[in-house]
């Protein structure tokens, strides 16, 4: 059994699946429990409002701390810098201090790695290979998916990432100069369409979701040592959403959708707090919340958006509209979304009443971003619509094109937008990281 240590314990983003199906036989998950009083302190989490330290930003809600960034751009307009990104991945940029971190993978070389760029100039600072070999076969991957789907998490001193490799999920921590600190095998993963969830940080812990047909689980490791602190089994279902940390009624909760339910766990112990039937067997988006209400959407094979009272675990409202790959967004007491088919919609967050719908264009995988009172939504072809977070009607501000392919969600911090996009196809495909500012 994994040690529960003596020393200290203290986030699309996945996008990818269409169907479930037969797969490898499930393997029993070896659960690990912990007395929270035995969890010692770890290196403090130190981030600033100028950082974007994990999946969906400091708040976990994809809301920028800044209130104003550019609304118009192109390959040449309002570009502070542009740099090539090696390999292929769908994770969003993680930005702390003067560094930007991205996960990526080179399928031809069979490598999975983390690459770091200078925030001010876009120059590559380092690249650390995490795995060589052990990549799932294409029969175990969705065509949209990559071998590097997650967004890196950073606590200000170290970074954390998870990869599916050799049929297991491996958690890895690196220093800010790219040196591997530790690695931990979290458990077997029976892949149907790949692995997507990004890690979530809470106090001494880095927490990883790993729902899969071979034995689903959530595992928390000690940020300083990599020791497994707790691991809780979930059902053996192919679903792809990450856990997200929410503060509800002054209590921390880990929220996750998928497996035909929305569930909440205690972040220090993994104890299930409540579970509410809803969404679908498979979801990809991250749950969002407002006051005491939690919202989630999915998926496959059914479709549903559901609102749950997080103090009781009871359903408040639901409808048959789904956002499968994307996460939704809370703004001004309303729930905004852009679904897979490119339909933007606004609901009253308390009642679920649809206030307006607007068809945009193309398929969407990236999640919308809120900056001030504006929403930025990017489709798979690299087109970004900017519109007001208004409940009155759809009010478009701008429409911008960057590259020819975009799966990673936009990031906004320090009065700039950072976008991971690609151009070309096959061997000519090249990913880029753009810094959009106002020169």
């Amino acid at each position: 059994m994994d040690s529960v240590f003596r020393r200290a314990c203290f986030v699309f983003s996945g996008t990818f699946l269409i169907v479930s199906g037969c797969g490898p036989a499930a393997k029993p998950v070896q659960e690990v429990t912990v007395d929270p009083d035995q969890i010692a302190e770890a290196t403090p989490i130190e981030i600033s409002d100028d950082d974007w330290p994990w999946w969906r930003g400091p708040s976990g809600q994809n809301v920028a701390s800044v209130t104003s960034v550019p609304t118009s751009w192109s390959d040449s307009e309002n570009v502070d810098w542009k740099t090539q990104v090696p390999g292929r991945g769908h994770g969003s940029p993680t930005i702390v201090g003067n560094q930007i971190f991205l996960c990526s993978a080179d399928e031809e070389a069979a490598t999975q790695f983390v690459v770091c760029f200078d925030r001010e100039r876009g120059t590559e600072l380092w690249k650390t290979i995490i795995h060589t070999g052990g990549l799932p076969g294409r029969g175990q991957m969705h065509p949209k998916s990559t071998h590097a789907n997650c967004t890196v998490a950073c606590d200000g001193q170290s970074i954390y990432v998870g990869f599916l490799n050799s049929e297991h999920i491996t958690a890895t921590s690196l220093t800010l100069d790219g040196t591997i600190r530790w690695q931990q095998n979290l458990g077997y993963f029976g892949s149907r369409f790949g692995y997507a969830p990004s890690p979530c940080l809470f106090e001494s812990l880095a927490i990883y979701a790993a729902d899969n047909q071979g034995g689903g689980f959530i595992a928390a490791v000690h940020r300083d040592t990599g020791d497994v602190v707790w691991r809780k089994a979930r059902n053996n279902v192919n679903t792809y959403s990450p856990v997200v940390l929410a503060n509800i009624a002054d209590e921390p909760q880990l929220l996750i959708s998928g497996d035909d339910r929305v569930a909440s766990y205690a972040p220090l112990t993994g104890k299930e707090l409540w579970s509410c039937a809803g969404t679908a067997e498979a979801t990809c988006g991250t749950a969002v919340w407002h006051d005491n209400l939690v919202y989630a959407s999915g998926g496959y094979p059914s479709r549903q958006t559901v609102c749950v009272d997080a103090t009781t675990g009871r359903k408040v409202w639901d409808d048959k509209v789904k956002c499968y790959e994307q996460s939704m967004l809370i703004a001004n007491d309303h729930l905004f979304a852009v679904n897979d088919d490119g339909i933007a919609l606004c609901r009253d967050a308390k009642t679920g009443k649809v206030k307006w719908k607007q068809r945009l264009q193309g398929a969407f995988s990236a999640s919308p971003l809120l900056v001030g009172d504006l929403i930025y939504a990017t489709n798979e072809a690299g087109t970004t619509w900017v519109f007001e977070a208004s409940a009155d009607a759809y009010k478009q501000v701008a429409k911008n094109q960057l590259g020819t392919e975009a799966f990673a969600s936009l990031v906004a911090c320090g009065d700039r937008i950072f976008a991971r996009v690609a151009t070309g196809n096959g061997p000519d495909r090249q990913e880029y990281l753009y810094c959009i500012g106002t020169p």
Side-chain angles (χ1 to χ4, degrees):
M1 179 178 288
D2 299 287
S3 65
V4 185
F5 54 83
R6 304 181 198 87
R7 299 185 331 111
C9 308
F10 178 74
V11 232
F12 313 5
S13 64
T15 53
F16 333 95
L17 87 162
I18 302 300
V19 295
S20 291
C22 298
K27 297 183 179 181
V29 172
Q30 185 180 35
E31 292 198 330
V32 176
T33 60
V34 63
D35 181 344
D37 292 336
Q38 296 179 357
I39 302 177
E41 295 182 357
T43 305
I45 295 177
E46 296 181 351
I47 58 172
S48 74
D49 290 340
D50 203 34
D51 296 331
W52 194 272
W54 41 66
W55 169 237
R56 294 183 64 77
S59 69
Q61 296 269 52
N62 231 35
V63 176
S65 299
V66 295
T67 58
S68 178
V69 294
T71 58
S72 63
W73 61 82
S74 67
D75 189 64
S76 57
E77 178 193 3
N78 287 339
V79 176
D80 281 1
W81 51 257
K82 166 188 175 183
T83 189
Q84 290 190 358
V85 176
R88 181 171 179 243
H90 288 339
S92 297
T94 295
I95 304 171
V96 174
N98 198 41
Q99 293 177 286
I100 303 175
F101 308 101
L102 286 175
C103 284
S104 198
D106 185 327
E107 189 166 353
E108 184 176 352
T111 57
Q112 294 165 308
F113 52 89
V114 176
V115 60
C116 175
F117 300 94
D118 181 276
R119 180 175 182 170
E120 294 303 317
R121 300 184 299 276
T123 53
E124 184 178 316
L125 300 178
W126 53 260
K127 171 184 168 185
T128 298
I129 294 176
I130 308 298
H131 301 288
T132 300
L135 303 186
R138 292 314 304 177
Q140 298 173 294
M141 301 287 290
H142 190 275
K144 285 187 181 182
S145 186
T146 77
H147 297 291
N149 296 322
C150 87
T151 296
V152 172
C154 180
D155 61 14
Q157 294 80 33
S158 304
I159 63 176
Y160 306 85
V161 64
F163 285 111
L164 167 60
N165 190 276
S166 300
E167 298 186 316
H168 288 76
I169 302 302
T170 297
T172 301
S173 176
L174 298 89
T175 62
L176 298 185
D177 64 3
T179 302
I180 294 177
R181 301 170 65 219
W182 53 256
Q183 291 188 292
Q184 178 65 260
N185 181 346
L186 299 181
Y188 173 75
F189 189 92
S191 177
R192 180 70 174 92
F193 288 119
Y195 179 68
S198 304
C200 171
L201 304 186
F202 176 73
E203 294 188 4
S204 297
L205 306 179
I207 306 168
Y208 297 77
D211 282 345
N212 71 97
Q213 62 194 355
F217 62 89
I218 301 174
V221 298
H222 178 265
R223 288 193 293 110
D224 284 346
T225 67
D227 290 333
V228 174
V229 179
W230 59 259
R231 180 167 48 224
K232 299 298 179 182
R234 283 172 52 87
N235 291 328
N236 306 325
V237 173
N238 293 307
T239 182
Y240 299 83
S241 293
V243 289
V244 64
L245 180 68
N247 192 358
I248 298 173
D250 295 325
E251 294 293 334
Q253 296 188 28
L254 284 178
L255 305 174
I256 188 171
S257 64
D259 185 25
D260 292 304
R261 60 192 177 122
V262 183
S264 171
Y265 296 85
L268 279 182
T269 64
K271 176 184 176 182
E272 185 175 297
L273 300 176
W274 54 261
S275 179
C276 179
T279 66
E281 175 184 311
T283 66
C284 299
T286 306
V288 298
W289 64 96
H290 179 58
D291 293 332
N292 293 335
L293 300 180
V294 171
Y295 308 87
S297 191
Y300 176 86
S302 56
R303 56 174 61 208
Q304 185 186 52
T305 296
V306 63
C307 170
V308 181
D309 186 327
T311 61
T312 65
R314 296 179 180 175
K315 183 169 66 176
V316 177
W317 60 260
D318 71 297
D319 62 28
K320 297 303 180 184
V321 178
K322 73 168 182 179
C323 282
Y324 187 18
E325 300 184 28
Q326 324 75 15
S327 304
M328 299 180 292
L329 196 63
I330 290 287
N332 303 322
D333 296 322
H334 286 80
L335 182 67
F336 293 86
V338 181
N339 68 18
D340 303 52
D341 298 324
I343 298 175
L345 67 154
C346 170
R347 297 179 180 92
D348 182 285
K350 290 185 178 180
T351 67
K353 180 181 179 181
V354 175
K355 309 291 285 188
W356 56 257
K357 291 183 180 181
Q358 175 70 36
R359 181 174 292 278
L360 303 182
Q361 182 181 357
F364 282 70
S365 288
S367 298
L369 168 71
L370 180 67
V371 184
D373 287 324
L374 296 179
I375 293 173
Y376 293 66
T378 305
N379 72 7
E380 292 179 8
T383 308
T384 298
W385 283 260
V386 183
F387 55 92
E388 294 182 11
S390 168
D392 298 332
Y394 175 79
K395 301 176 182 179
Q396 183 167 305
V397 174
K399 180 180 176 182
N400 309 294
Q401 184 67 38
L402 203 61
T404 58
E405 178 188 294
F407 285 87
S409 300
L410 294 179
V411 163
C413 57
D415 71 15
R416 295 172 175 176
I417 292 174
F418 297 86
R420 181 181 193 169
V421 302
T423 59
N425 296 295
D428 297 325
R429 183 186 183 278
Q430 176 63 57
E431 289 196 358
Y432 295 93
L433 180 63
Y434 281 82
C435 175
I436 307 298
T438 305

